[in-house]
Amino acid sequence: MEREFPKLALDDEVLMMVDKPARYIGCEVNSVRKDLKDIDVRFCMCFPDVYEVGMSHLGISILYDMFNRRKDVWCERVYSPWTDLDKIMRERNIPLFALESQDPIKCFDFLGITLQYEMCYTNILQILDLSKIPLLAKDRGEDDPIVVGGGPCSYNGEPIADFFDFFYIGEGETRYYDIIDIYKEKKKNGWSRKQFLEKIAELNGVYVPAFYEPVYNEDGTIKEIKVINSHAKPQVHKEVETHMSDTYYPDKPIIPYVQAVQDKVTLEIQRGCIRGCRFCQAGMIYRPIRSRKLDFLKEQADKMIQNTGYEDITLSSLSSSDYNKLGELVKYIMDKYTSRGVNISLPSLRIDGFSLDVMGKIQDIKKSSLTFAPEAGSQRMRDVINKGITEEEILKGASDAFSLGWQKVKLYFMLGQPFEQEEDVKAIPELADKIARVYYEIPKDQRNGKCNITISTSFFVPKPFTPFQWAPQDNSETFIAKQQLLKGHLMTMLNQKSIRYMWHDAKLSVLEGVFARGDRRLSQVILKAYESGCFFDAWTDYYDNEKWLKAFEECGIPIEFYTTRQRSDDEIFPWDMIDAGVSKRFLLAEYKKAEKAEVTLNCRERCNGCGAASFGVGICFDKIGAL
Amino acid sequence: MKVRFKFAKYGPIRFVGHLDLMRYFEKVTRRANIDVAMTEGFSPHQILSFANPLSLGITSDAEYVDFELKSLDLLSYEKEIPEEEKIKTFPEGAFVKIDEECSEELKPLWNVLKAMDDQSGIGFRMLSARVLHEWQKGEKKETAMSLVRGADYYIQYMKPEKLKEGEDFFGDDFWNQESYIVTREKKGERISNGHGGFKKSKVTIADVDIKPLVKDFSHEKADFLPEGTDIEKLHTSDFYDKASMHMYVRLSTGSIDNLKPEVLMQSICKFRNVEYLRSDFRIHRIEQYGQNEEGGYVALCDMNK
């Protein structure tokens, strides 16, 4: 047990001026401290949002542990300073620093930034700026850290490509050690930055944007993507972890002092999804589904709970009902840890008898709410998006839940999905009403008053590597009109008093839509927006739509080109140099099926030849899929 | 049984807030496998409480947390200890210190203290543990919070350049005053608004005399401080420069008549006509006290109730 700690980068005066100073002191239980003389490579992992958000992210937790297991590497963390500290750091010229050593980011070998959502792009610039690293990759010198991006948005990193030295495409457990080894050689042999990037470009999973040049047509679409460096490959294939039960997973997750948004231990039970919902990027880019062995999960649960003392554990995956040993895992954790006051959280479940049984055991039914994600109100729309659930199943699930004592139900839907008609929008409150009617069919003396149904809609954003990457996105006027239609129609429902409606901001979804399918020309817009003061865009209090619109205008970039435009079948996408495992041919076929509301069976029911089988693992080869 | 733990909180951890402390300790006891009693109901919580909260930025050698324990046994996932074999009661007043040898009989209590210390993060140190009195029916229950009457602080002033030539921030010219004035905002009182509700009256600014709440003071180590107080051994922040100007004070603390050390500093700044900046001071809490029947101060770690 250590007693020493590093000298803080921020002095007491600053720390006492800012909100939650514990965000910036490090020293958390299970954070890793190493001696600089024992290590060769310094890596700084960054989540470009405030500490409490970043500390909830599992990906960094896995990579942090993975890097620190290497004796010659020290991995530390950095998060976006909150707006109050940001202001002070600029005024006083205080450089951004990593938490563990409190050393400036500028002296690190690598800065790894995780890209989880598009609205954090300006925060990437904040991090680089405060670290005094040149924002554009081409301006960086030999002593600047190598800036790498990973995570879902790296599948189309084009809008931010100018800010990154390279992107790591795919799952982080596999290729980083090779990259570190090559980096050590670079230092030993005195290679330049460019030589290093050329060497790693030859590895699978590494995309160096500077080695590619998109060429545009008159109409703004892409004519071709030129490969301008001989070390770069025409397509970069994603990395896939093929040994899910024999790979890095943290035994001792860091315990933050400041309460994180997700203040619990997270156990990823499987990766990927069999369902093939057409709007879902995660379901496509994490194919094929690979589950972890039950013994591995039990062991990890033991280590994480016992090494942290956390009171909550989340079992996480895209569709946890599809994990075939879920019941056993839940029983194991409950039997062992409930008496110690540990609660289990199980999101992403289908609503069926099995789930209700499990949830009844782990939750206080009277107080918690049950969440369904039908995503569409009419059966036709559910078939369009390939969300394989029927109205019968939804109503039966609701009926079972109500008879077990649940009273609060939350329903998630999306507005603006491709081929949506007015009656599909109206079907949403109609479905909620049908669910309410199921509740009120229970005799009055057997139920406890009213039920509480919440409809929550978000606006659909077409994502790369999904069948809907060709689809036009609704503009904000259409979004709002649909919202109004829904609200109005809800008022005419029999049980409207039992139903509440919550919705998201349309303007933010439009901007997300621009960046999701954006190209390199957008980097100037992001720069302009950042320079005009935009950051923390994911926070409603700080998001400034006017400033963003102005940035687009000043750069002469039309938003609609990226959002409302229908793509042609043979269009070259800005992300075509990346191979996510699922073929473009398959995605286009799915898009055509969507137009006819034709359903595609899930991976367990039938293989549809999407291309993910090329990785040689998972559901494609083993019906159970546990590795 | 109720056990009162004394701990030090120092270094960068002085920036961890009081509310975050509770969540921290709940996890420490779980990692240490302590047999903590839980509340009834669907979502059980540990039963614990703290003494007087420590403001952000202050280090301390005397923080207290009381835990309700079901037994002194350290729980195991491998083997469940049969109920009859558990140590469910222990003599009232049993007391152990972390770096002192204890008798065989007291070992179970010391093992609990050591297990907690082993699981402490950097910036925390468990110092001692005492088994408290079991409140009987009819007795007026006291908590650590309700017991506190006073606290000792060691305060350093880091900005002598702000003072006049030759002036000592903690000079006797301040202490010899009839009263120590500080300007405070008085929170508005609730006044009836005539319609059956309440409105708050305006916040008033008034000068307050805090001298009655300053119970003792000294430039050097004095009798009122706990025996063996040694600045070199206190857990003050490792990166504090040794300040030339410092003071030991005992202040009235607790639910009634609470004087925070920062407020005393504001009074001195007002007297010396110097700008008050919280970060110009290093404040360290040396001890917290309850009172005995005669009105004398007793360190919380020396009290059984």
Side-chain angles (χ1 to χ4, degrees):
Chain A
M1 188 190 25
E2 276 183 82
R3 297 295 182 205
E4 291 175 330
F5 23 70
K7 184 157 165 47
L8 295 177
L10 300 175
D11 63 25
D12 280 36
E13 194 193 333
V14 173
L15 285 168
M16 290 204 237
M17 278 196 262
V18 298
D19 199 24
K20 301 190 191 163
R23 287 167 170 157
Y24 313 110
I25 60 177
C27 295
E28 304 99 322
V29 175
N30 294 336
S31 62
V32 173
R33 306 262 315 291
K34 293 194 181 186
D35 196 328
L36 281 175
K37 15 182 204 51
D38 302 332
I39 57 158
D40 299 319
V41 179
R42 298 188 79 174
F43 197 106
C44 188
M45 282 289 334
C46 170
F47 192 108
D49 205 320
V50 76
Y51 181 86
E52 299 92 283
V53 174
M55 283 302 290
S56 311
H57 180 58
L58 177 66
I60 290 195
S61 182
I62 295 178
L63 296 187
Y64 181 84
D65 174 63
M66 175 190 80
F67 280 121
N68 281 320
R69 287 197 200 186
R70 264 186 84 132
K71 293 209 160 42
D72 54 354
V73 178
W74 186 11
C75 180
E76 304 180 49
R77 297 156 297 141
V78 69
Y79 303 97
S80 280
W82 189 241
T83 57
D84 51 5
L85 180 60
D86 177 282
K87 181 161 185 287
I88 296 172
M89 288 177 89
R90 287 173 204 272
E91 279 165 7
R92 300 187 186 204
N93 214 16
I94 304 173
L96 188 58
F97 54 93
L99 291 179
E100 283 78 352
S101 63
Q102 300 279 310
D103 285 340
I105 308 294
K106 203 165 158 73
C107 67
F108 279 70
D109 296 295
F110 288 91
L111 172 61
I113 304 181
T114 185
L115 307 166
Q116 296 295 315
Y117 45 84
E118 293 83 355
M119 299 323 295
C120 72
Y121 286 177
T122 47
N123 275 39
I124 294 170
L125 297 183
Q126 178 215 27
I127 298 278
L128 293 170
D129 203 9
L130 289 179
S131 303
K132 316 247 190 251
I133 298 171
L135 304 185
L136 298 174
K138 65 176 167 64
D139 295 337
R140 286 170 200 150
E142 292 304 319
D143 290 329
D144 285 312
I146 306 280
V147 181
V148 47
C153 296
S154 67
Y155 282 85
N156 178 28
E158 294 305 286
I160 47 175
D162 291 340
F163 313 132
F164 283 88
D165 293 301
F166 75 98
F167 290 99
Y168 181 110
I169 309 297
E171 298 165 17
E173 292 99 328
T174 55
R175 200 55 60 192
Y176 270 114
Y177 274 24
D178 293 336
I179 294 173
I180 300 285
D181 289 338
I182 295 174
Y183 184 78
K184 284 175 74 168
E185 268 188 67
K186 165 207 189 287
K187 285 217 303 201
K188 201 168 78 170
N189 298 321
W191 299 341
S192 69
R193 208 177 171 85
K194 182 161 183 217
Q195 284 174 302
F196 168 71
L197 291 173
E198 285 176 339
K199 270 278 186 311
I200 62 171
E202 292 169 5
L203 294 174
N204 197 54
V206 174
Y207 165 54
V208 181
F211 294 170
Y212 300 79
E213 193 190 305
V215 179
Y216 301 94
N217 289 316
E218 281 280 326
D219 64 0
T221 56
I222 292 183
K223 181 165 177 218
E224 63 170 311
I225 300 174
K226 281 198 181 143
V227 181
I228 56 175
N229 185 300
S230 55
H231 296 264
K233 302 181 282 288
Q235 248 203 347
V236 177
H237 303 276
K238 75 169 182 185
E239 279 291 310
V240 170
E241 173 54 77
T242 54
H243 296 89
M244 292 301 284
S245 303
D246 182 20
T247 183
Y248 305 103
Y249 206 86
D251 292 342
K252 294 183 166 190
I254 300 175
I255 310 171
Y257 283 110
V258 179
Q259 187 161 33
V261 170
Q262 290 291 326
D263 202 25
K264 27 188 98 159
V265 144
T266 304
L267 188 58
E268 182 192 30
I269 60 181
Q270 63 191 1
R271 200 173 286 174
C273 186
I274 58 171
R275 301 280 156 188
C277 302
R278 294 181 177 131
F279 56 82
C280 180
Q281 185 188 52
M284 294 294 161
I285 63 176
Y286 286 109
R287 285 191 176 200
I289 191 172
R290 294 145 283 147
S291 47
R292 300 197 203 252
K293 293 203 179 99
L294 183 61
D295 285 337
F296 175 83
L297 292 176
K298 285 179 177 176
E299 232 183 86
Q300 277 310 122
D302 284 339
K303 287 182 192 160
M304 293 203 296
I305 293 174
Q306 292 177 31
N307 287 327
T308 60
Y310 258 111
E311 42 274 356
D312 296 282
I313 176 168
T314 303
L315 304 184
S316 157
S317 78
L318 294 172
S319 175
S320 295
S321 299
D322 296 331
Y323 183 68
N324 64 325
K325 302 260 200 233
L326 189 61
E328 284 114 308
L329 181 59
V330 170
K331 182 174 194 310
Y332 176 80
I333 297 174
M334 284 192 71
D335 286 348
K336 201 162 178 175
Y337 296 105
T338 306
S339 59
R340 299 285 202 112
V342 176
N343 306 304
I344 303 181
S345 188
L346 246 188
S348 316
L349 286 180
R350 299 174 69 77
I351 303 304
D352 56 23
F354 171 76
S355 306
L356 291 176
D357 182 51
V358 169
M359 283 196 277
K361 294 198 176 93
I362 66 180
Q363 281 176 12
D364 184 353
I365 296 178
K366 287 195 182 56
K367 293 198 192 132
S368 61
S369 80
L370 207 59
T371 304
F372 291 68
E375 305 294 7
S378 66
Q379 194 55 47
R380 191 192 75 90
M381 265 320 286
R382 279 193 294 273
D383 292 344
V384 166
I385 64 178
N386 205 37
K387 182 88 191 190
I389 184 169
T390 64
E391 183 165 297
E392 245 161 38
E393 287 168 320
I394 296 173
L395 294 180
K396 168 125 197 341
S399 169
D400 289 345
F402 292 144
S403 44
L404 283 173
W406 264 283
Q407 276 177 269
K408 288 202 232 167
V409 171
K410 198 159 185 197
L411 300 166
Y412 283 109
F413 295 95
M414 273 189 277
L415 286 176
Q417 294 183 101
F419 316 117
E420 184 179 65
Q421 309 287 341
E422 247 191 42
E423 52 272 18
D424 300 310
V425 177
K426 286 157 103 174
I428 294 175
E430 285 166 12
L431 180 59
D433 185 64
K434 286 181 192 161
I435 293 176
R437 286 176 202 233
V438 165
Y439 179 80
Y440 289 114
E441 269 160 27
I442 301 174
K444 209 167 185 174
D445 55 350
Q446 282 173 40
R447 56 177 157 88
N448 195 7
K450 284 166 71 165
C451 65
N452 241 304
I453 301 182
T454 304
I455 297 174
S456 173
T457 60
S458 57
F459 293 114
F460 171 63
V461 177
K463 299 270 184 181
F465 296 105
T466 63
F468 291 157
Q469 60 186 358
W470 286 270
Q473 183 188 21
D474 282 346
N475 60 21
S476 56
E477 287 80 31
T478 315
F479 277 146
I480 292 171
K482 289 185 176 177
Q483 219 171 57
Q484 296 298 98
L485 177 65
L486 200 165
K487 227 163 76 163
H489 197 58
L490 175 58
M491 291 295 128
T492 70
M493 294 292 112
L494 177 69
N495 293 300
Q496 49 118 333
K497 289 224 168 80
S498 302
I499 306 171
R500 220 169 33 128
Y501 176 35
M502 287 170 48
W503 63 86
H504 284 59
D505 181 48
K507 301 201 170 73
L508 199 65
S509 304
V510 169
L511 203 60
E512 241 187 84
V514 175
F515 293 119
R517 293 183 298 169
D519 56 36
R520 280 200 201 180
R521 294 171 295 189
L522 290 172
S523 67
Q524 30 168 338
V525 179
I526 299 173
L527 266 170
K528 257 241 154 43
Y530 171 72
E531 279 158 12
S532 73
C534 291
F535 71 157
F536 285 103
D537 295 312
W539 296 73
T540 29
D541 285 348
Y542 291 95
Y543 176 63
D544 191 333
N545 198 57
E546 289 312 307
K547 285 208 174 113
W548 273 103
L549 291 182
K550 192 151 177 276
F552 276 96
E553 221 185 278
E554 284 176 15
C555 295
I557 307 265
I559 290 179
E560 307 73 43
F561 176 82
Y562 298 98
T563 52
T564 58
R565 185 173 65 90
Q566 168 82 51
R567 299 345 189 225
S568 59
D569 286 2
D570 56 1
E571 183 163 334
I572 296 177
F573 293 136
W575 52 91
D576 274 355
M577 77 291 272
I578 306 292
D579 171 28
V582 175
S583 69
K584 203 169 176 183
R585 181 193 48 77
F586 170 79
L587 294 174
L588 185 60
E590 280 293 295
Y591 184 51
K592 300 295 179 195
K593 281 174 92 170
E595 193 171 8
K596 297 183 252 161
E598 253 180 65
V599 159
T600 297
L601 295 177
N602 71 48
C603 300
R604 218 164 249 159
E605 291 168 327
R606 188 183 74 186
C607 175
N608 300 289
C610 71
S614 63
F615 296 101
V617 286
I619 191 86
C620 317
F621 294 88
D622 164 9
K623 273 289 160 185
I624 309 293
L627 299 161
Chain B
M1 71 191 96
K2 221 176 192 87
V3 177
R4 177 162 294 154
F5 292 93
K6 183 180 187 181
F7 63 95
K9 181 177 178 250
Y10 59 101
I13 302 302
R14 65 188 182 280
F15 294 108
V16 172
H18 186 72
L19 296 174
D20 294 325
L21 264 196
M22 188 171 88
R23 297 182 312 109
Y24 163 78
F25 269 104
E26 284 181 333
K27 295 185 178 77
V28 167
T29 51
R30 273 198 206 92
R31 291 198 297 276
N33 295 309
I34 312 293
D35 196 6
V36 183
M38 311 281 260
T39 56
E40 309 287 304
F42 204 94
S43 188
H45 292 299
Q46 294 185 1
I47 302 177
L48 67 142
S49 59
F50 290 89
N52 183 261
L54 193 66
S55 301
L56 209 63
I58 302 184
T59 51
S60 174
D61 264 292
E63 294 310 292
Y64 293 88
V65 59
D66 294 353
F67 271 96
E68 182 67 42
L69 300 184
K70 292 207 288 232
S71 75
L72 288 184
D73 298 273
L74 296 178
L75 301 173
S76 156
Y77 290 104
E78 316 313 320
K79 213 174 30 138
E80 214 182 300
I81 308 167
E83 284 298 309
E84 327 78 74
E85 290 177 29
K86 281 189 172 179
I87 307 169
K88 291 193 189 161
T89 57
F90 217 65
E92 174 180 324
F95 178 74
V96 291
K97 278 177 146 176
I98 191 73
D99 25 275
E100 270 180 24
E101 290 286 323
C102 70
S103 61
E104 267 313 297
E105 302 91 66
L106 290 176
K107 256 306 175 164
L109 183 62
W110 189 86
N111 287 339
V112 167
L113 181 67
K114 179 80 169 61
M116 300 258 295
D117 191 48
D118 285 344
Q119 294 304 327
S120 295
I122 59 178
F124 284 101
R125 189 83 219 273
M126 301 306 293
L127 298 172
S128 71
R130 179 185 288 274
V131 175
L132 299 179
H133 173 78
E134 281 291 318
W135 297 106
Q136 307 298 329
K137 265 208 175 81
E139 282 188 292
K140 180 169 179 278
K141 252 176 84 160
E142 295 267 22
T143 60
M145 185 94 80
S146 63
L147 283 175
V148 176
R149 292 284 179 277
D152 289 343
Y153 296 91
Y154 171 67
I155 308 176
Q156 301 177 71
Y157 183 63
M158 313 303 292
K159 292 283 159 93
E161 57 270 22
K162 282 188 176 176
L163 302 170
K164 302 190 203 61
E165 176 92 34
E167 192 180 15
D168 175 9
F169 187 84
F170 295 109
D172 286 332
D173 50 340
F174 174 81
W175 303 106
N176 292 337
Q177 292 179 96
E178 294 268 313
S179 51
Y180 308 149
I181 302 296
V182 73
T183 314
R184 309 266 18 232
E185 268 183 15
K186 199 163 175 236
K187 264 197 273 214
E189 281 166 30
R190 280 164 32 129
I191 316 172
S192 162
N193 66 3
H195 318 296
F198 290 96
K199 64 178 182 186
K200 269 212 184 125
S201 72
K202 273 205 300 226
V203 171
T204 45
I205 299 184
D207 280 353
V208 172
D209 176 19
I210 55 170
K211 184 163 182 173
L213 302 180
V214 180
K215 298 301 180 188
D216 224 322
F217 52 85
S218 166
H219 283 92
E220 294 310 321
K221 257 178 52 81
D223 291 337
F224 69 85
L225 294 170
E227 206 186 295
T229 296
D230 182 348
I231 277 306
E232 294 306 313
K233 296 221 181 74
L234 289 179
H235 291 90
T236 56
S237 170
D238 290 0
F239 291 92
Y240 289 164
D241 310 306
K242 291 288 178 283
S244 49
M245 297 179 188
H246 57 247
M247 198 78 191
Y248 295 87
V249 296
R250 172 167 295 181
L251 305 180
S252 178
T253 310
S255 15
I256 342 156
D257 289 341
N258 188 59
L259 178 61
K260 289 185 171 174
E262 310 92 280
V263 175
L264 177 58
M265 296 305 107
Q266 282 168 20
S267 178
I268 303 181
C269 284
K270 185 180 164 75
F271 174 75
R272 302 205 177 283
N273 209 6
V274 154
E275 179 210 15
Y276 166 79
L277 200 59
R278 168 66 185 86
S279 49
D280 288 346
F281 302 90
R282 301 284 186 256
I283 304 177
H284 182 80
R285 179 139 82 183
I286 300 173
E287 189 54 270
Q288 293 187 57
Y289 298 92
Q291 265 176 331
N292 55 24
E293 286 96 38
E294 294 89 47
Y297 285 99
V298 183
L300 227 54
C301 51
D302 294 335
M303 295 174 74
N304 283 353
K305 295 199 173 176

